[in-house]
Amino acid sequence: MIAASILSDFWNDQILANEKEGLFLVLVGFILSFAFIRMSTRLMRSPRVSWWPGSVVSDSGVHLHHLVFGIVTMMIAGALGFMALGQSPYVEICAFLFGIGAGLTIDEFALWVYLDDVYWAEEGRASIDATVIAAAGMMLVLLGFSPFSFDTSSALQTIVSVIGAALIVALVATCFLKGRVLHGAIGFFFTPVAIYGASRVGKPGSAWARRRYGERSPDKQAKAEERFKPDRHTERFKNAFRDIVGGKPSEGLAAASEEAIATTREAIEDARHRAERVTRAGGRDDR
């Protein structure tokens, strides 16, 4: 009863009162589609569930990623949403469909970044991070948090609001440049978190570190490497969470690339040996 009362109050006070039904349905569709597609891919990967349908492959052997279906769904839902002109329940249906498409699309976020099929690679964990950040952002908006607050009562207040918004954007951008993505995402809604992330040392592999650490500042580079060790507790916790949500990765992109290079070298070496044998055989026949 208590839980039902809380949900009822939340729906009436936060969703209906602020006309956020559309965003709520986007979030619901987003979470449901992401959860379904992750469950589906994990079942396809498991040898114990051989009956689960596999990937969609065309007659020519092209693998259609579910990213494609997500993009098409968002395009259709977005176009129909504009055609609905705010009429209920068509807008709500389109919002739900848009969320489904977004969930399917962001599940392959790593494919956007690496332009390679790294779904089960170490790099594929970026998709889990992006999903958590996107869902958290929508939840915060539904709870009433806003990244910016503009006061246009006077020219001075408007200028102050614009400067404040620019400062928040700058702090969040600094967090992202330093590789502190979570600080940047949360700091977009809670400025103190953005200030903290922007003022702390960046991760050693971040764009900030490549530009400002390294040979320019060996002390800061050493400090960053010491602070962000691969086996630190927070990283192990995050990896455990990613494994629970998305499944454990197989070999990373770098390992896969090295294996491909090694295989190519072996093939070249084998071809060379065969060519030498053919040449020697031809030479004996000429004699």
Side-chain angles (χ1 to χ4, degrees):
M1 293 295 292
I2 297 177
S5 177
I6 294 174
L7 290 174
S8 177
D9 292 341
F10 172 74
W11 177 259
N12 293 322
D13 298 339
Q14 294 293 335
I15 305 300
L16 293 181
N18 297 294
E19 299 181 344
K20 294 179 179 178
E21 300 95 325
L23 179 60
F24 177 77
L25 291 172
V26 169
L27 177 60
V28 172
F30 179 86
I31 293 175
L32 290 178
S33 64
F34 173 79
F36 171 78
I37 199 63
R38 271 289 158 173
M39 178 196 71
S40 177
T41 54
R42 292 181 72 169
L43 289 176
M44 284 190 291
R45 192 188 190 196
S46 174
R48 294 177 293 180
V49 194
S50 57
W51 50 268
W52 190 260
S55 303
V56 179
V57 181
S58 67
D59 295 335
S60 59
V62 177
H63 171 212
L64 293 179
H65 292 263
H66 49 268
L67 165 79
V68 176
F69 300 100
I71 293 173
V72 172
T73 302
M74 285 193 295
M75 291 172 62
I76 294 174
L80 293 177
F82 283 113
M83 291 174 60
L85 297 175
Q87 296 182 19
S88 182
Y90 305 112
V91 173
E92 288 80 2
I93 293 173
C94 290
F96 182 71
L97 291 175
F98 189 90
I100 290 176
L104 294 174
T105 304
I106 204 168
D107 184 53
E108 295 199 284
F109 174 80
L111 182 61
W112 312 359
V113 178
Y114 294 99
L115 297 179
D116 200 350
D117 190 359
V118 293
Y119 193 84
W120 291 118
E122 182 71 25
E123 292 78 6
R125 283 174 162 167
S127 298
I128 305 299
D129 297 341
T131 302
V132 171
I133 290 172
M138 285 187 279
M139 287 180 181
L140 287 172
V141 173
L142 286 174
L143 290 173
F145 295 97
S146 175
F148 305 121
S149 178
F150 286 96
D151 185 353
T152 57
S153 58
S154 66
L156 178 61
Q157 292 296 334
T158 302
I159 294 173
V160 171
S161 298
V162 171
I163 294 175
L167 179 61
I168 293 175
V169 171
L171 290 171
V172 170
T174 303
C175 289
F176 283 125
L177 288 173
K178 288 188 172 184
R180 292 178 171 268
V181 179
L182 188 60
H183 289 96
I186 298 177
F188 199 63
F189 297 91
F190 300 100
T191 307
V193 177
I195 295 174
Y196 173 83
S199 61
R200 301 291 292 174
V201 66
K203 292 185 177 182
S206 65
W208 186 277
R210 292 194 299 270
R211 180 71 177 175
R212 303 179 66 89
Y213 299 167
E215 296 181 355
R216 289 190 175 187
S217 181
D219 293 339
K220 286 188 176 180
Q221 181 68 27
K223 183 179 179 181
E225 293 174 354
E226 177 66 22
R227 171 65 181 83
F228 294 100
K229 292 180 178 179
D231 60 342
R232 69 187 189 280
H233 294 297
T234 53
E235 192 64 26
R236 291 203 299 267
F237 173 80
K238 286 189 287 187
N239 285 338
F241 173 78
R242 292 167 182 146
D243 292 345
I244 292 172
V245 174
K248 291 185 177 181
S250 52
E251 291 181 322
L253 182 61
S257 300
E258 291 175 2
E259 182 179 356
I261 294 172
T263 303
T264 303
R265 288 175 178 171
E266 290 175 2
I268 294 173
E269 190 69 19
D270 183 58
R272 187 176 64 82
H273 287 320
R274 290 184 180 183
E276 289 177 354
R277 287 198 296 268
V278 171
T279 302
R280 294 195 192 100
R284 288 195 294 270
D285 291 341
D286 292 339
R287 295 194 198 96

